[in-house]
Amino acid sequence: MSGNGASRYQEDKVRVAVLGVGNCASSFVQGVQYYRDADPAESVPGLMHVDLGGYHVRDIEFSAAFDIDAEKVGKDLSEAIFAGQNNTLNFAGEVPPLGVEVMRGMTHDGLGKYLSEKITKAPGSTVDIAQVLKDTRTDVVVSYLPVGSEQATKWYVEQILEARCAFVNCIPVFIASQDYWNNRFVKAGLPIIGDDIKSQVGATIVHRALARLFHDRGVKLLRTSQLNVGGNMDFYNMLERERLESKKTSKTNAVTSIMGHTLPADDVYIGPSDYVPWLTDRKWAHIRLEGQAFGDVPLQAELKLEVWDSPNSAGIVTDAVRCCKLALNQGVSGQLDGPSSYLMKSPYTQRPDDAAREATEAFIERHARTREAARRAREAREQEADAPTSTSAG
């Protein structure tokens, strides 16, 4: 699956490196295995398309992986996704060896107070990340670093820019949504999708839909809250409240940005709440909205959403890396506006989800068409070069 003999700039595969081999990486790797024989004509839960712009799910291949956990570093990626503290579902069965060894990454602020109680840092120094990305001809780097990894994220982004890779930022450190970093990617001629992954049907998308429904149906939203609990290392890490600022900002803005009016800060609470070990990779989200309907009569909605947290985001990343590859092929740089707004909580441009999906579908159709035209032109040139040369007698 690793296809290490291919040219880095080949167009047939989407070569992906992952930063952090936790539950989310596990679900992503499993998903590529699970759907490798999916019929492009069929609908697959959680994917926009089995074949997205000419790239089937099986066209994703893993080129490199980085982590700092002693229980994962040195293992093949197919083994590491089930090692250490990972506790998500194994829905793909046995994942065959990928020929990708998990390498020692950079720590910086990636290992917080609570994670350090559970994870033993691998010995040795950080590998040359940029050089590895170049040597493995990586197209797209996906960040699954822990929440609160501000300095580690920025350090890795510098390596990604040096290696000239596209970037999918799944965590709430603001890169794609910031002019400084967006301009860096534009100048480098590289695409980026971010920030902070929006799950298939997670707490954020459900909360957004309800808040928008209140607005569209003329109910004045007065107060709202979202409390989340889970039992994976993401929730354990977030017990360290100092690491939560960007996460709370991201989740809150994702909901309030499409609300139609501004609420006082004290009337909105959206964020992680606590760690419950026996939930493993399940997440419980408790969402409440209080508003005023006709005649200022109270109207309230409350629900509980239960999901397996990591598989809930894996399809989103599967689509994101393929969108990045389309952009790489066509020389499209900077944050990808449609895909970022549809796939991420904190994009450069916030828009309602139906409009974001339309923009993403238009992006895919436009660049798939261009890619197909380029393929036909290339084949025509090759046929012309292979055609026998005719000569006439003088």
Side-chain angles (χ1 to χ4, degrees), residues 32 86 93 104 231 248 260 289 322 327 329 331 352 369 372:
V32 173
N86 289 9
R104 174 68 156 77
K248 285 176 60 63
L289 303 95
R322 293 183 290 171
N329 289 347
R369 194 166 56 241
E372 179 62 19

Side-chain angles (χ1 to χ4, degrees), residues 33 41 83 90 179 190 210 233 256 260 265 270 272 274 292 309 311 328 348 370 372:
Q33 172 70 17
N90 179 349
D179 285 332
L190 299 167
L210 288 172
M233 284 299 96
T256 59
I270 300 173
D274 216 335
Q292 287 177 329
D309 202 19
L328 278 173
Y348 191 91
T370 306
E372 179 62 19

Side-chain angles (χ1 to χ4, degrees), residues 253-281:
N253 288 346
V255 175
T256 59
S257 64
I258 49 84
M259 196 178 281
H261 65 283
T262 302
L263 288 178
D266 287 349
D267 291 333
V268 181
Y269 181 88
I270 300 173
S273 179
D274 216 335
Y275 169 70
V276 181
W278 58 265
L279 285 177
T280 64
D281 192 41

